[in-house]
Amino acid sequence: MLRVNVLGGSGYTGGEVLRILATHPMVEVGIVTSSSNAGKPLHQLHPNLRGVLDLTFSPRERLDHAEVLMVCVPHGRAMEMMPQLLQNADKVIDLSADHRLRDPADYPTWYGITHPHPENLQRFVYGVPELHREQLRSATAASGPGCMATAANLAMLPLFKAGLVEERHIIVDVKIGSSAAGVEVNISTHHPERANVVRAYAPTGHRHTAEVEQELAPYNGGRKPRIDLSAHAVDMVRGILATCHLRPRGEVTDKDLWKAYRDAYGAEPFVRVVNQKAGLHQLPNPKVLLGSNFGDVGFQLDPRGERIVAFGAIDNLVKGAAGSAVASMNLMCGLPERTGLEFPGLHPV
Amino acid sequence: MLRVNVLGGSGYTGGEVLRILATHPMVEVGIVTSSSNAGKPLHQLHPNLRGVLDLTFSPRERLDHAEVLMVCVPHGRAMEMMPQLLQNADKVIDLSADHRLRDPADYPTWYGITHPHPENLQRFVYGVPELHREQLRSATAASGPGCMATAANLAMLPLFKAGLVEERHIIVDVKIGSSAAGVEVNISTHHPERANVVRAYAPTGHRHTAEVEQELAPYNGGRKPRIDLSAHAVDMVRGILATCHLRPRGEVTDKDLWKAYRDAYGAEPFVRVVNQKAGLHQLPNPKVLLGSNFGDVGFQLDPRGERIVAFGAIDNLVKGAAGSAVASMNLMCGLPERTGLEFPGLHPV
Amino acid sequence: MVECTECGATLAMNEDTEVGELITCGDCGADLEVTGMTPPMVQLAPQEEEDWGE
């Protein structure tokens, strides 16, 4: 059995990591820290864990050594603590944004802070198996991905792999649920303000752009494509749909697209190509993914030419965070990748 | 492995049975019938099953013999077909209302139809393990429970077992999600009409009343208590909360209530007593139960006396239907009761 | 072992618990102050009033 500690178990990401680990057949959950909630039972903050994971939160000082440490503390804090945390476990997975970017210069640009330990950045593998499966098998540190970036990357990866699109004028229009903002309360997630909205925020300069450009570059001759991302809060708690508008490079047919997506994802355990001619569920829809680690992708060629629309839908807390973290852990620890991640999602919900 | 056929797999209950069976370690799903959808892949109606259960719907004529048959056809049709269906499997579980009531005279009263095969009624055990676990172990036929009845029964059972309440003037005020109305479309579940409602319907005479009175009678000296139930459609897809108002019999203290609920449910795998002094999640709340087979119960003594409020929350499609059906199947087939039913539910969702 | 004053649940007390420490009852979530070790005794700790203003 793998003993796994969780640093920062009181937030939504920490709670989701605990939910997945609670029914993971090869894992024993060790210490779960939360300074402000020490002594309280987990289920007081994560009611779904009542009778499932009967542990209490520990103060951070109680953190002992474990085979795996899941770091679920807010952005900015993980980067400071990391040198010491790396001593606390054989393998560390940081679900914050603090070790996602490979180029230290990207942090001031996209996150407005200078990274205190840039030397650590090379050691972390970007924790998306569809992009880094082989590296993850031998990694000792991985970073959980940005949720929006994951939806966009999954949607567009096949197009870049097959060289079907231009590297500029790429619009990524994202719709996202409220849980992505985390458990901290603020006016923007106050129910009377948050319910029934379609509220654009960060129409330009959204931080996840950096990850999409970083992760697609290897499939674009090493050059970062320019990604123009805009985000909208919509009336969901979980879920992301990334609608990507790209320009075809030369003549591209529907068959070319099917081949590109089939080649890229045919053998993938967690990606489904959803592009149906009939029925209610023709294109990816985050509503059917709640709680599951699937990423659904789809596409459509504009009959008037000059545009390919690509879709990526995920559950921001699972494939966009805790699920990818556990899949990376499975790979890093030599376990079958699907272990503990078989939940199919709910319908209707 | 157990081979399980599903008769009527196109509805929400059938879909939920398939979702649970798909990841049940001891089950192989055999034939799934749907006359109107024969030939289509399951995931066209149940998108969460894409890449999880790669089967197609079969016409009913294709139904062969299996160890277990789950009957998910609408009320009124199961009762007609049952004599022939009982030949199709060693064990039959009817998720419709057609074999829930023991007394044939109850069908004209509560369902407005005469039961064509009353002789079958005695053979079916009411499929709620908390009420009929020992009988289910040796049963060859079980009926799935009514979802509202299950929430109310779980909430009130400990009070009757401990003799703490009067048998009359019992108000059961139910709040329920739209999936309970099933997949058939009608104006009442048309989104512009259904969203954001608190719409009372069947304020008196709701059919599930019969099951509550039937199932609590054995704990009330054999006399059916009088249950006054009212139902409200609220803005949820899944979920039921039953708020029950009862009159204490003589002097009842908070500790008496705790003892009654602890005695009734201390060893139950699927019932949790939720009655917290602090935090956001103090009383049962269906929102945290989506997809899980838990029933959460809670209670509060009115400080002014003369009233005990008891709560029961479930997911109407799981503990209220497919989950109880699979738990009954596990018992009937000698499997551990929790097999395939470990999903803890999601939070936030 | 000690009994929760609010709901009667039996609570395990690990050896290093000291008088004055707060323990949370797993069943009802009440915060209990340890007032004695031999025999183990607890009393309800002052609960901060939670008012969601609803």
Side-chain angles (χ1 to χ4, degrees):
Chain A
M1 291 286 268
L2 267 180
R3 189 159 176 280
V4 182
N5 285 346
V6 176
L7 179 77
S10 59
Y12 287 150
T13 302
E16 193 66 356
V17 166
L18 290 166
R19 190 254 314 169
I20 294 173
L21 294 181
T23 52
H24 188 300
M26 299 305 293
V27 159
E28 183 218 336
V29 179
I31 300 286
V32 180
T33 77
S34 166
S35 320
S36 50
N37 296 288
K40 283 185 186 158
L42 297 191
H43 64 70
Q44 199 160 342
L45 275 78
H46 308 303
N48 54 330
L49 299 184
R50 178 191 283 273
V52 174
L53 200 54
D54 286 326
L55 297 174
T56 54
F57 288 109
S58 304
R60 196 185 319 141
E61 300 68 43
R62 278 257 194 79
L63 194 67
D64 58 5
H65 189 278
E67 281 134 309
V68 178
L69 174 64
M70 293 280 189
V71 177
C72 303
V73 295
H75 312 314
R77 283 190 44 217
M79 50 175 67
E80 277 153 26
M81 303 163 61
M82 197 49 75
Q84 186 245 326
L85 293 178
L86 287 168
Q87 320 304 327
N88 278 84
D90 308 332
K91 296 185 170 66
V92 175
I93 298 174
D94 176 10
L95 284 92
S96 82
D98 291 4
H99 297 88
R100 287 180 193 158
L101 303 183
R102 296 286 74 72
D103 178 358
D106 277 349
Y107 276 95
T109 321
W110 294 101
Y111 287 87
I113 35 173
T114 313
H115 201 291
H117 299 291
E119 71 283 2
N120 280 336
L121 289 181
Q122 294 321 325
R123 180 168 165 186
F124 281 78
V125 175
Y126 191 71
V128 175
E130 292 80 11
L131 295 167
H132 297 280
R133 181 167 288 117
E134 291 322 310
Q135 285 174 284
L136 284 165
R137 291 194 205 284
S138 53
T140 56
S143 72
C147 49
M148 285 193 209
T150 302
N153 279 329
L154 290 179
M156 297 189 284
L157 177 64
L159 301 174
F160 279 89
K161 267 190 165 177
L164 299 179
V165 288
E166 301 282 349
E167 60 179 33
R168 295 177 56 75
H169 313 304
I170 299 170
I171 305 295
V172 176
D173 186 295
V174 177
K175 295 84 181 170
I176 189 165
S178 56
S179 61
V183 72
E184 294 310 322
V185 294
N186 66 62
I187 187 68
S188 77
T189 52
H190 186 48
H191 188 270
E193 303 295 344
R194 184 63 180 72
N196 307 320
V197 294
V198 185
R199 180 171 56 78
Y201 71 94
T204 65
H206 191 283
R207 297 182 300 198
H208 286 184
T209 307
E211 290 170 50
V212 185
E213 294 181 349
Q214 168 184 290
E215 292 304 320
L216 291 179
Y219 307 97
N220 187 46
R223 295 179 312 282
K224 287 187 178 181
R226 169 158 165 182
I227 303 294
D228 297 330
L229 190 145
S230 299
H232 308 75
V234 298
D235 199 76
M236 279 188 307
V237 172
R238 286 179 183 231
I240 294 179
L241 182 71
T243 310
C244 312
H245 309 269
L246 306 97
R247 293 208 180 155
R249 223 154 63 131
E251 201 49 45
V252 174
T253 66
D254 215 36
K255 284 229 169 64
D256 297 332
L257 292 176
W258 270 109
K259 183 173 186 326
Y261 279 81
R262 217 176 266 130
D263 289 352
Y265 294 135
E268 284 296 338
F270 294 120
V271 182
R272 306 184 299 196
V273 181
V274 181
N275 197 0
Q276 300 282 147
K277 292 276 179 281
L280 180 59
H281 313 287
Q282 301 193 14
L283 287 168
N285 174 359
K287 180 177 160 72
V288 306
L289 296 172
L290 302 197
S292 93
N293 196 48
F294 285 120
D296 284 359
V297 299
F299 53 84
Q300 199 159 95
L301 203 57
D302 192 319
R304 295 185 303 176
E306 290 176 20
R307 184 171 64 131
I308 295 169
V309 190
F311 297 94
I314 60 172
D315 177 329
N316 51 293
L317 289 179
V318 188
K319 184 70 173 153
S324 288
V326 172
S328 300
M329 176 193 82
N330 287 339
L331 288 166
M332 291 160 81
C333 301
L335 297 173
E337 197 174 326
R338 292 177 197 258
T339 318
L341 292 168
E342 283 96 2
F343 178 68
L346 297 171
H347 172 262
V349 72
Chain B
M1 294 284 269
L2 266 181
R3 190 159 175 281
V4 182
N5 285 347
V6 176
L7 178 75
S10 59
Y12 287 151
T13 302
E16 192 66 355
V17 166
L18 289 167
R19 189 256 311 172
I20 295 173
L21 295 182
T23 51
H24 188 299
M26 300 303 295
V27 159
E28 183 217 334
V29 178
I31 300 288
V32 180
T33 76
S34 166
S35 322
S36 50
N37 296 288
K40 284 186 190 157
L42 297 191
H43 65 68
Q44 196 161 343
L45 276 78
H46 309 303
N48 54 330
L49 300 184
R50 179 191 284 274
V52 173
L53 200 54
D54 286 326
L55 297 173
T56 54
F57 289 109
S58 304
R60 200 191 311 146
E61 300 67 41
R62 276 258 210 74
L63 196 67
D64 59 5
H65 191 278
E67 281 136 309
V68 179
L69 175 63
M70 293 280 190
V71 178
C72 303
V73 296
H75 311 313
R77 284 193 41 221
M79 49 176 67
E80 276 152 25
M81 303 163 61
M82 196 49 75
Q84 187 243 327
L85 294 179
L86 287 167
Q87 320 304 327
N88 277 82
D90 308 333
K91 296 185 170 66
V92 174
I93 298 174
D94 176 9
L95 284 91
S96 83
D98 290 5
H99 296 88
R100 287 179 193 157
L101 302 183
R102 295 287 74 70
D103 176 358
D106 278 348
Y107 277 95
T109 321
W110 293 101
Y111 287 86
I113 33 171
T114 313
H115 201 291
H117 298 290
E119 71 285 1
N120 280 338
L121 290 181
Q122 295 321 324
R123 181 169 164 185
F124 280 78
V125 175
Y126 191 70
V128 175
E130 292 80 10
L131 295 167
H132 296 281
R133 182 167 286 115
E134 291 322 311
Q135 285 174 284
L136 284 165
R137 289 194 206 284
S138 55
T140 56
S143 71
C147 49
M148 285 194 210
T150 302
N153 279 329
L154 290 180
M156 297 189 285
L157 177 64
L159 301 173
F160 280 90
K161 266 190 167 176
L164 298 178
V165 288
E166 302 281 347
E167 62 179 35
R168 294 176 57 74
H169 312 303
I170 299 171
I171 305 293
V172 175
D173 187 293
V174 177
K175 295 84 181 169
I176 188 164
S178 56
S179 62
V183 72
E184 294 310 322
V185 294
N186 66 64
I187 186 68
S188 77
T189 52
H190 188 48
H191 189 270
E193 303 294 345
R194 185 61 177 72
N196 306 322
V197 295
V198 185
R199 180 171 55 78
Y201 72 94
T204 64
H206 191 283
R207 295 181 300 195
H208 286 185
T209 307
E211 290 170 51
V212 184
E213 295 183 350
Q214 170 183 289
E215 293 303 320
L216 291 179
Y219 307 96
N220 185 47
R223 294 179 313 281
K224 288 188 178 180
R226 168 153 166 187
I227 303 295
D228 298 330
L229 190 145
S230 298
H232 308 76
V234 297
D235 199 72
M236 279 188 306
V237 172
R238 287 179 181 229
I240 293 179
L241 182 70
T243 310
C244 312
H245 309 269
L246 307 97
R247 295 209 181 153
R249 222 155 60 136
E251 200 50 44
V252 174
T253 68
D254 211 38
K255 282 220 171 116
D256 296 332
L257 294 176
W258 270 105
K259 184 174 188 323
Y261 279 80
R262 211 176 270 128
D263 289 351
Y265 294 135
E268 283 296 338
F270 294 121
V271 181
R272 306 185 297 197
V273 181
V274 181
N275 196 2
Q276 296 284 143
K277 290 265 183 293
L280 181 58
H281 313 288
Q282 301 192 15
L283 288 167
N285 174 359
K287 179 177 161 72
V288 307
L289 296 172
L290 301 197
S292 92
N293 196 49
F294 285 119
D296 284 358
V297 298
F299 53 84
Q300 200 159 97
L301 202 58
D302 193 321
R304 295 186 302 175
E306 292 174 10
R307 184 171 65 133
I308 295 169
V309 190
F311 297 95
I314 60 172
D315 176 330
N316 52 293
L317 289 179
V318 187
K319 185 71 173 150
S324 288
V326 172
S328 299
M329 175 193 84
N330 287 339
L331 288 166
M332 292 159 81
C333 299
L335 297 173
E337 197 174 326
R338 292 178 197 257
T339 318
L341 292 168
E342 282 97 2
F343 179 68
L346 296 171
H347 173 262
V349 70
Chain C
M1 289 301 207
V2 69
E3 200 181 87
C4 168
T5 53
E6 299 310 297
C7 74
T10 43
L11 306 178
M13 296 243 284
N14 27 35
E15 310 77 36
D16 58 6
T17 313
E18 289 140 13
V19 171
E21 218 181 291
L22 278 186
I23 55 174
T24 307
C25 168
D27 276 17
C28 75
D31 286 332
L32 303 168
E33 191 185 336
V34 178
T35 53
M37 284 309 292
T38 45
M41 290 191 347
V42 290
Q43 70 183 22
L44 185 63
Q47 302 275 218
E48 0 110 11
E49 202 39 50
E50 271 167 353
D51 166 15
W52 307 114
E54 274 159 334

